[in-house]
Amino acid sequence: MKSTQRILSANPGKNPLMRSIGFGFTVALSVSYLKYSQVMASKRKSEGKSEDDKVSAKKPAPFWKTGLLSAMHDPDLQVYKDDKVIIIKDKYPKAKFHFLVMPKDNIPNLKSLKKENIELLKHMHEKGKETAEKSDPDLQFRLGYHAVPSMSHLHLHVISQDFDSPCLKNKKHWNSFTTEYFVDSEDIIKELEKNSKVIKDVSHSQELLKKNLRCHVCRKEMTTMPALKTHIKQHSYKKS
């Protein structure tokens, strides 16, 4: 014990043990100070940002969300275009016939619509009807918009009511076209004419996607998508 005390009490500059202890303590102190400095610098930088800076620093939208902008110019998908709109085949159709009518103007979504866009929406509707008629004049179609679309750039769905497609896979797909989540084109036009804007309740719309599976013709409730897809084949989708 006394021997140990003599070693520790010896001149630290000449004592190897004390030099080692002192060096380790200095390194640990330096690392701690460096981490503290980094944390404080980051905090000051964050506090100096405005709310707009913080919003703009968020991750950009995933590439698929803006995929329509490239798809609308794909000649393999295009079925019609004029000076106002481009119509393409949906890349992942949810029925035998499924088209998207899109304006050439930069309009991200329903919320971006203004009263001056009414005539454009009417033009989109008419061209959608013409496309449906050319595809199968005897088949039932619906023209409408998703209340809260997953993809950016305004697009009108023109979809046959057979829902005969391998791309129709889950409850979200089904409910997005067979509940109030799918808003008729003419109803959107009327709302814009009346209110000069289109506003949809996001939380309510998202809940619609979770509703139980039901046949869109007879309203029979089904438990699984395979059972539903088998069931809907018994109905006729020809115009009456």
Side-chain angles (χ1 to χ4, degrees):
M1 182 68 181
K2 290 181 179 180
S3 175
T4 302
Q5 289 176 339
R6 283 197 298 273
I7 291 174
L8 296 176
S9 63
N11 189 334
K14 296 181 180 180
N15 190 313
L17 177 61
M18 292 302 293
R19 283 202 303 273
S20 175
I21 293 172
F23 177 74
F25 178 75
T26 302
V27 171
L29 186 61
S30 299
V31 170
S32 297
Y33 180 74
L34 178 61
K35 288 182 177 179
Y36 172 77
S37 300
Q38 290 173 336
V39 169
M40 293 305 294
S42 177
K43 184 176 180 181
R44 285 194 297 271
K45 186 176 180 181
S46 176
E47 289 175 347
K49 286 185 177 181
S50 66
E51 287 304 312
D52 289 340
D53 292 331
K54 292 176 182 179
V55 170
S56 63
K58 290 181 179 179
K59 292 182 179 179
F63 73 92
W64 56 265
K65 196 172 182 67
T66 56
L68 288 180
L69 294 175
S70 58
M72 68 188 292
H73 297 293
D74 185 342
D76 293 331
L77 295 176
Q78 284 183 5
V79 297
Y80 174 84
K81 64 179 178 179
D82 59 27
D83 60 328
K84 297 179 180 178
V85 302
I86 294 176
I87 302 179
I88 65 170
K89 294 177 287 188
D90 193 298
K91 203 170 183 178
Y92 304 100
K94 302 304 186 289
K96 183 179 180 181
F97 297 105
H98 188 180
F99 306 98
L100 304 177
V101 185
M102 292 175 284
K104 287 186 174 180
D105 291 345
N106 181 23
I107 304 176
N109 47 44
L110 292 174
K111 193 167 60 173
S112 305
L113 289 170
K114 299 176 181 177
K115 197 160 189 175
E116 53 262 37
N117 299 131
I118 291 173
E119 291 307 313
L120 173 61
L121 293 192
K122 289 180 178 179
H123 181 72
M124 290 171 65
H125 182 85
E126 288 306 313
K127 292 304 174 183
K129 282 175 59 178
E130 289 177 12
T131 302
E133 189 71 15
K134 289 177 182 177
S135 301
D136 188 334
D138 298 319
L139 192 59
Q140 295 176 22
F141 280 80
R142 280 188 73 191
L143 283 71
Y145 299 86
H146 283 154
V148 185
S150 58
M151 300 189 76
S152 181
H153 197 68
L154 185 71
H155 53 285
L156 168 65
H157 291 271
V158 179
I159 187 166
S160 57
Q161 294 302 286
D162 53 89
F163 292 108
D164 183 9
S165 171
C167 296
L168 185 71
K169 296 180 178 180
N170 55 50
K171 179 189 286 190
K172 183 177 179 180
H173 290 164
W174 179 255
N175 284 338
S176 70
F177 288 101
T178 61
T179 67
E180 300 93 330
Y181 189 90
F182 191 72
V183 188
D184 282 332
S185 172
E186 292 178 322
D187 288 340
I188 292 294
I189 293 171
K190 289 176 183 176
E191 183 175 348
L192 191 58
E193 287 176 329
K194 181 180 179 181
N195 304 321
S196 299
K197 60 183 178 180
V198 176
I199 301 295
K200 298 301 172 188
D201 187 322
V202 176
S203 59
H204 172 68
S205 298
Q206 296 295 351
E207 286 302 311
L208 293 172
L209 297 177
K210 301 174 185 177
K211 293 181 74 171
N212 292 339
L213 295 170
R214 285 185 179 277
C215 173
H216 63 308
V217 179
C218 67
R219 306 308 298 167
K220 181 178 181 179
E221 187 169 324
M222 309 300 291
T223 56
T224 66
M225 278 302 296
L228 175 63
K229 294 183 77 172
T230 298
H231 168 81
I232 62 177
K233 289 180 181 179
Q234 72 180 350
H235 295 297
S236 173
Y237 302 101
K238 297 293 183 181
K239 292 177 180 177
S240 55

